[in-house]
Amino acid sequence: MTDNTQQQQAATPDLPTQYVPADVEGELYERWVERGYFEADEHSEKPPYTIVIPPPNVTGSLHLGHAFEHTLIDALTRRKRMQGYETLWQPGMDHAGIATQNVVERELAKEGKSRHDLGREAFIERVWKWKNESGGQISGQMRRLGDGVAWSRERFTMDEGLSRAVQTVFKKMYDDELIYRAERIINWCPRCLTAISDIEVEYSDDDGELVSMKYGEGEDSLVVATTRAETMLGDTAVAVHPDDERYQHLVGKQIKLPLTDRTIPVVADAHVDPEFGTGAVKVTPAHDPNDFEIGRRHDLPSLTVMDERAVITVPGPFEGLDRLEARAAIVAALRAEGRIVAEKRPYVHSVGHCSRCKTTVEPRLSMQWWVKVGPLAQAAGDAVRDGQVKIHPQEMEKRYFDWVDDLRDWCISRQLWWGHRIPIWYGPDGEIVCVGPDQEPPSGEGWHQETDVLDTWFSSGLWPFSTLGWPEQTDSLAKFYPNSVLVTGYDILFFWVARMMMFGLYAMDGTPPFHTIALHGMVRDQFGKKMSKSFGNAVNPLDWMDAYGSDALRFTLARGANPGVDVPIGEDWVQGSRNFANKIWNATRFALMNGATVEGELPAAEELSATDRWVLSRLNTVVAEADAYYEDYQFAKVSDALFHFAWDEVFDWYVELSKTTFMGGGRPAEVSARVLGEVLDTTLRLLHPVMPFVTETLWTTLTGQESLVIADWPADSGFRDTAAEAEIEQVQQVITEVRRFRSDQGLQPGQKVPARLTLEGTAFAPHEAAIRQLLRLTPEGEAFQATASLPVSGATVALDLSGTIDVEAERKRLAKDLANAEKEKAAAEAKLGNEAFLAKAPDKVVDKIRGRLTKAEADIERITAQLAALPAA
């Protein structure tokens, strides 16, 4: 080491020899928050950039999917902040009506109580208490991850301002006749005891039974089949197709309904498929959505035969039985009467389950509140069709249109206590009054408020503008609405995105809530399987952050984030990202030890070496690539480009090629130190949005400036030097090929070998010292024997391998490898030359064989060169 290097090392700012994330992350984050870096000023003249957090449910902790989504949003907002935008990442949480009420009711059950023991007001107080505890846990996890949210603006869907927004929208829609009350078939959860919307029903193929039953007697009988025999107690007709000749004589007649003292009509309805089953279907209007429509067309009565807990209420032998108990009992009774024609068990069919508690959903006739979605959905579809809102990736548009173009009216009432209570008052004489936020509700004897609350998605659908103070016309609303982009999973495109589109366009005078919808996939395990506690593959993101650091987790997630595609992740990948963070740390320490600096202007071009010009040219190319990828939401591509540039080009090539320059000292070392400082400064800025903690620590040490959070985003200066890039590429080829040859000959990496370098032209001359150092090549000396010669990319490297390898043994090994490669080539060529094989084989098989041929040819070329380079016998 030279005296100059020793002096530089002594002056190096204090950086620990190892990067320990736990030592810096918490302190750094609190410093960012205290200094207000993440806050947004509605009075700023900077252009706005707004993203709302998809509000996590207050029901628990953040999972790996949250960590993934938050990483992407944080990367976007950190970059935009560095680009000079007034950036708002709006935080907050969702009250999650059913889920939260279920959690608190389970807690009460442990005490031997129910919500009815407490009463409505006391129960709601209990939920608020639980929310405050759980919400704090989520906030702590967001801090651990590094979320750059504007904490002073944190909102909750049940806070006073958002509740006012909910009541305002409800009143406006009610007055515009977009909200109405009607008795319809809804999805009912007998466990949660509430209606749920279509998109909150999860379907699975379950084992059941298909029972065929005979209704009527003799020639006036027919057979119907069902998987829900218990609903026959509510049958009010049997339906057949109008053109089905088998049943023409029965249409309009009354037939006996088994197990009851009722008769029911046979009706003709075009909905019936005469080719399916017997062509006759039982009609239960109060317990099946299709039957409900048939009942309306034929003016049939609707008989509800189950209560809210799915217990039979029809007087008789089945009263009080659970629906499954009643199913078995009714089939047994019908069998005893000889009315069971056929039974199929198991019968696999699609069954709906409550997405919250997994209980089988029961279709049920119920009086509920509804949103007339027709005009709202039309506007939501048109906003994408006319380009006001872009969906990324574009191929996801079809899924969006398939949904909004076929939306049915939305049931918004829930039979819960936790949530926004519907602002409807009922009077003693049947009056119905909707009350706005600034109106006094009617009072007096007989007046009472609706007990139902609104569907959670009603309030979260207002999130992009209710969080900004609407319905008040606030400065924040004027500055930050509409949002710049919505980043969310494709799995809630229907739950949340469509509702925000409908509400935003309706409440904000036709202005959609965001310009772009950027959809990402779901996080899966390394084998592509969905993560779930029941599968035993769920991961707590805190565990990986504790083990490897937040940056490692973030970088792993971002590097797997291709638009709209699911993201597999395994712990070994996070370990790899931890290694990358360590590489950045160690390379920056080396740079600081060698005087890397950002002080002063870059040296003039004539002072820059080809290595300097190459790395600066590549740097600007990567800046341009990063910008293009970010604008296209290609997080995986930007992460991959930065990884390979930083690790391969900067740390493995530029730093290594510059070591001889630093060792030599003088002006060349000063120039390279300034270039290295420039490259590190820019590289750390580029990496900061995804890896904020390690980059902040290193960048502030390198530059002495306040924080990367508020630093400028790098700009492509336009500097390109294709000649320098070509020159260094040739140097890299020489070094790579000789390294490969050394490895093939079994030489140890540190083993020194005498060599003669013949460098054609002038391109390699400045790099000879670096080439020799990196390849462990010593001067040739007087006793030098050129026992191997490698012509590589305009240079010839002659090596003296005498005494280092067993030439004859190596020749035999290579000859055997060559024979195997030639055999592989012949086999591949034979298959590819067989027309019959090509005509039948799948494309993947053919492509695989072509790949084998290409590899075999490359192996033959490589081994032949190795044999030629061996010393003569």
Side-chain angles (χ1 to χ4, degrees), residues 329-345:
I330 287 172
V331 170
L334 290 169
R335 190 183 299 113
E337 289 191 3
R339 291 191 174 275
I340 298 297
V341 176
E343 297 178 71
K344 185 176 181 181
R345 297 189 186 90

Side-chain angles (χ1 to χ4, degrees), residues 614-747:
W614 161 74
V615 78
L616 291 173
S617 180
R618 288 291 305 129
L619 178 68
N620 279 284
T621 297
V622 169
V623 169
E625 288 176 349
D627 280 330
Y629 289 145
Y630 264 121
E631 292 302 315
D632 199 36
Y633 306 100
Q634 298 280 359
F635 298 98
K637 288 184 178 179
V638 71
S639 300
D640 209 49
L642 294 178
F643 173 86
H644 287 295
F645 175 71
W647 192 310
D648 301 343
E649 299 187 74
V650 179
F651 304 149
D652 278 357
W653 282 113
Y654 182 73
V655 168
E656 293 299 317
L657 289 171
S658 300
K659 280 183 177 178
T660 53
T661 304
F662 288 127
M663 291 172 65
R667 180 57 182 167
E670 292 177 357
V671 170
S672 288
R674 179 63 186 89
V675 171
L676 182 52
E678 183 76 12
V679 172
L680 281 175
D681 174 14
T682 303
T683 302
L684 292 171
R685 291 173 195 253
L686 291 171
L687 284 167
H688 177 73
V690 177
M691 305 180 77
F693 294 108
V694 67
T695 55
E696 172 84 341
T697 305
L698 295 173
W699 186 83
T700 53
T701 304
L702 172 69
T703 66
Q705 297 183 44
E706 182 180 344
S707 174
L708 253 181
V709 180
I710 55 173
D712 290 337
W713 180 253
D716 175 9
S717 70
F719 175 79
R720 300 289 190 279
D721 192 325
T722 54
E725 290 192 34
E727 181 175 328
I728 299 304
E729 184 178 347
Q730 285 185 302
V731 173
Q732 291 172 333
Q733 289 174 358
V734 171
I735 294 171
T736 300
E737 288 302 315
V738 176
R739 278 177 171 166
R740 183 179 293 121
F741 178 78
R742 286 178 57 110
S743 176
D744 289 340
Q745 304 307 318
L747 298 176

Side-chain angles (χ1 to χ4, degrees), residues 39 234 369 467 582 609 676 682 771:
E39 295 302 324
W369 286 93
T467 52
N582 290 340
S609 68
L676 182 52
T682 303
I771 292 172

Side-chain angles (χ1 to χ4, degrees), residues 142-158:
M142 290 171 62
R143 284 174 156 82
R144 278 294 310 277
L145 192 62
D147 287 2
V149 300
W151 286 112
S152 69
R153 294 173 174 265
E154 187 175 13
R155 305 305 297 267
F156 179 56
T157 50
M158 287 280 288

Side-chain angles (χ1 to χ4, degrees), residues 243-280:
D243 300 330
D244 194 334
E245 295 181 358
R246 293 172 295 176
Y247 304 116
Q248 290 293 322
H249 67 290
L250 289 177
V251 175
K253 287 187 176 181
Q254 296 279 328
I255 61 173
K256 180 74 165 55
L257 180 65
L259 307 183
T260 73
D261 57 1
R262 292 192 292 118
T263 60
I264 57 176
V266 177
V267 299
D269 194 280
H271 170 76
V272 179
D273 180 1
E275 303 298 324
F276 183 77
T278 63

Side-chain angles (χ1 to χ4, degrees), residues 517-531:
I517 301 168
L519 298 172
H520 59 71
M522 300 173 65
V523 177
R524 298 183 178 273
D525 71 13
Q526 59 188 320
F527 306 108
K529 190 174 182 180
K530 182 179 179 181
M531 285 192 172

Side-chain angles (χ1 to χ4, degrees), residues 553-597:
L553 176 62
R554 289 169 60 115
F555 190 76
T556 304
L557 291 166
R559 201 174 180 192
N562 291 296
V565 178
D566 289 345
V567 183
I569 185 172
E571 186 168 5
D572 55 336
W573 304 343
V574 187
Q575 291 174 354
S577 296
R578 184 269 315 275
N579 296 342
F580 180 45
N582 290 340
K583 184 78 171 181
I584 300 169
W585 184 271
N586 294 332
T588 305
R589 286 191 76 251
F590 169 83
L592 292 170
M593 288 167 58
N594 287 277
T597 180

Side-chain angles (χ1 to χ4, degrees), residues 160-292:
E160 183 178 352
L162 271 66
S163 295
R164 178 179 177 84
V166 167
Q167 194 173 355
T168 301
V169 164
F170 188 98
K171 170 67 173 173
K172 176 176 170 58
M173 295 179 75
Y174 181 85
D175 290 345
D176 289 344
E177 298 184 349
L178 291 172
I179 287 180
Y180 64 94
R181 188 174 186 236
E183 191 175 44
R184 301 270 183 86
I185 290 285
I186 48 90
N187 304 297
W188 181 266
C189 176
R191 161 61 186 81
C192 298
L193 300 181
T194 182
I196 58 176
S197 63
D198 291 343
I199 55 177
E200 292 171 304
V201 178
E202 295 178 347
Y203 288 91
S204 62
D205 289 335
D206 295 358
D207 286 346
E209 61 179 351
L210 181 66
V211 180
S212 298
M213 311 174 292
K214 185 177 73 171
Y215 285 15
E217 303 293 344
E219 292 184 357
D220 290 347
S221 67
L222 36 67
V223 175
V224 298
T226 183
T227 59
R228 300 162 64 218
E230 68 279 8
T231 63
M232 67 153 295
L233 299 175
D235 287 358
T236 56
V238 172
V240 297
H241 194 275
D243 300 330
D244 194 334
E245 295 181 358
R246 293 172 295 176
Y247 304 116
Q248 290 293 322
H249 67 290
L250 289 177
V251 175
K253 287 187 176 181
Q254 296 279 328
I255 61 173
K256 180 74 165 55
L257 180 65
L259 307 183
T260 73
D261 57 1
R262 292 192 292 118
T263 60
I264 57 176
V266 177
V267 299
D269 194 280
H271 170 76
V272 179
D273 180 1
E275 303 298 324
F276 183 77
T278 63
V281 297
K282 58 191 287 299
V283 181
T284 320
H287 292 278
D288 183 276
N290 293 322
D291 293 2
F292 177 76

